[in-house]
Amino acid sequence: MNNRFLLGIDVGSSSVKASLVNADTGKCAASAFFPDREAPITAVKAGWAEQDPQMWWDNFKLALAKCMDETGAKADDIKAIGISYQMHGLVCVDKDQNVLRPSIIWCDSRAVPYGERAFREIGQEQCLQHLLNSPGNFTAAKLAWVKENEPDKFAKIDKFMLPGDYIAMKMSGEINTTIGGLSEGMFWDFKEGRVADFLMKYYGFDSSLVPNIVDTFSVQSEVSASAAKELGLKEGTPISYRAGDQPNNAVSLNVFNPGEIASTAGTSGVVYGVLGDVNYDKKSRVNTFAHVNYSKEQTRLGVLLCINGTGILNAWIRRNVAPEGISYAEMNKMIADVPIGSEGVVAIPFGNGAERVLENREIGCSINGVNFNKHGKAHLMRAAQEGIVFSFCYGMEIMQQMGMDIHKIHAGKANMFLSDVFRDTLAGVSGATIELYDTDGSVGAAKGAGIGAGIYKDHDEAFATLEKLQVIEPDEKHRTEYLHAYAEWKEQLIQKINN
């Protein structure tokens, strides 16, 4: 019996990862990523960030070849392909599908004034009610920058795309996108259920620039003869799933329903929750996009909270406060002996630039309440982890104000989620159960492809084999202590904001 594999691709700004998942067992058979060092990002001017889309394609080919070699998979064995990608990027191609300029990627800030002007001139109420966000620094504003600053190139654009759309185009020769993709670029009107004509008109974009829209879980296109030859795949293999990296991370963790949360806590932290009703934050402190299972008939929105000062604070504490040479695991053991609330030491973790959750204020990091006769390194180390958790909870309160009932948090067992203190504090303050899994974005994209191609009947079947590593229930015995520590932290934060 031949193996049936699903191919998942995760196009990041640092690398491109490919995974082959056995469709029958649900297990990952092989994974590879390229380059092995962080991919280059070009910054011609301060605040700019560009990448050559061809680099993504070249790295994907290397990762795929390694996976095929490791598994001995043949072209016929690959039954469906799914794509996850870095969100908010812009790729422009002409009528011959030639890339006209480097991609302006997610961390490029040149388009901020274009989004702010649109928000002001179109009107805050109309933007929030229809787009659920400020136009901000998203794909539409980046395209407006190209129109104003590179008119010759803009005139040649046949279609604009997101990074995942580009990879799909290279594989199939077809250009299409999803409602989720359009929503993350600020091109989707949730109130009217169509492309945001008012924003297109404001920026002077012709409707012909918008790619054809396909369903997230569907046979969106098929591998072309030329791509099949280049990749070693079979012509006609379906490309049957596509999503931005944060919605796809939620897919990887089987987060599809209202009230469920997917979280990551690396250098920065993300809390991504599913909302069952159309709503938005009036202060745009969180972003709202179409989730992977959104449709005009079924409202499923992904509410995205990003905290810049997460693992980067923990790493700073390890370098500058913790005993020299200590590992993160040893650090986590040390802080376990410090009482909840760090005996009055409070860490405000916002030391990695402006924070959207604070309405784009840059208030810096501070550690308060230190008593020289009482506190040591372990207190500062624990306060830092508690402060990171409290920033998550502060953002989750905004989600709850939007109508989200948070009762379960799904996360990969990695980074900050390796810390008992971090996990217990998050469960203790939020009251949510935390479930830790063994998965990643490329595996999630592969399983998404299985759903889209009809290999799995639904997401429950696709993720039936998802390995749950650990469950952390809220500690009701110490709940009052956790909530008191959070209240003290929030009081310090509000004082800092108001100063």
Side-chain angles (χ1 to χ4, degrees), residues 418-437:
L418 293 171
S419 165
D420 288 336
V421 167
F422 182 88
R423 298 186 308 236
D424 292 344
T425 306
L426 182 57
V429 177
S430 68
T433 299
I434 299 173
E435 296 182 354
L436 301 179
Y437 294 90

Side-chain angles (χ1 to χ4, degrees), residues 8-10 17 83-84 241 245 248-249 252 439-446:
I9 309 160
D10 189 6
K17 186 173 185 179
I83 303 167
S84 168
Y241 168 81
D245 51 12
N248 180 73
N249 181 59
S252 307
T439 189
D440 69 21
S442 58
V443 171

Side-chain angles (χ1 to χ4, degrees), residues 9-17 34-35 39-40 50-63 85-86 89-91 102-106 161-167:
I9 309 160
D10 189 6
V11 184
S13 50
S14 58
S15 66
V16 178
K17 186 173 185 179
F34 284 88
E50 297 181 341
Q51 287 185 322
D52 180 2
Q54 182 66 36
M55 176 182 68
W56 304 332
W57 179 250
D58 292 340
N59 285 322
F60 161 55
K61 287 195 293 184
L62 292 169
Y85 60 88
Q86 50 172 299
L90 172 67
V91 180
S103 173
I104 303 175
I105 66 171
W106 63 276
M161 288 181 284
L162 296 153
D165 303 333
Y166 167 81
I167 294 295

Side-chain angles (χ1 to χ4, degrees), residues 200-215:
M200 297 286 287
K201 183 179 179 182
Y202 171 82
Y203 280 135
F205 301 155
D206 192 273
S207 60
S208 66
L209 297 176
V210 181
N212 292 328
I213 301 173
V214 292
D215 290 337

Side-chain angles (χ1 to χ4, degrees), residues 376-497:
K377 292 179 178 180
H379 290 85
L380 274 64
M381 289 152 56
R382 179 173 181 123
Q385 289 202 16
E386 288 181 334
I388 295 163
V389 171
F390 296 155
S391 71
F392 277 35
C393 294
Y394 184 77
M396 286 160 63
E397 285 183 356
I398 298 169
M399 294 178 168
Q400 289 168 326
Q401 290 162 15
M402 294 170 63
M404 191 177 296
D405 177 22
I406 298 171
H407 56 267
K408 191 181 292 184
I409 298 172
H410 297 224
K413 191 171 183 179
N415 300 316
M416 297 297 298
F417 281 97
L418 293 171
S419 165
D420 288 336
V421 167
F422 182 88
R423 298 186 308 236
D424 292 344
T425 306
L426 182 57
V429 177
S430 68
T433 299
I434 299 173
E435 296 182 354
L436 301 179
Y437 294 90
D438 179 21
T439 189
D440 69 21
S442 58
V443 171
K447 292 189 175 184
I451 300 170
I455 293 168
Y456 303 125
K457 68 181 182 209
D458 55 26
H459 68 87
D460 287 327
E461 182 179 352
F463 292 94
T465 56
L466 181 62
E467 186 178 359
K468 190 186 295 183
L469 300 175
Q470 196 172 351
V471 177
I472 297 93
E473 298 286 355
D475 180 359
E476 295 300 332
K477 184 180 176 183
H478 296 98
R479 179 128 167 101
T480 302
E481 295 167 66
Y482 283 118
L483 291 175
H484 176 74
Y486 176 51
E488 292 282 316
W489 179 91
K490 195 155 59 167
E491 185 179 331
Q492 294 276 348
L493 174 65
I494 291 167
Q495 288 179 10
K496 194 167 176 63
I497 290 171

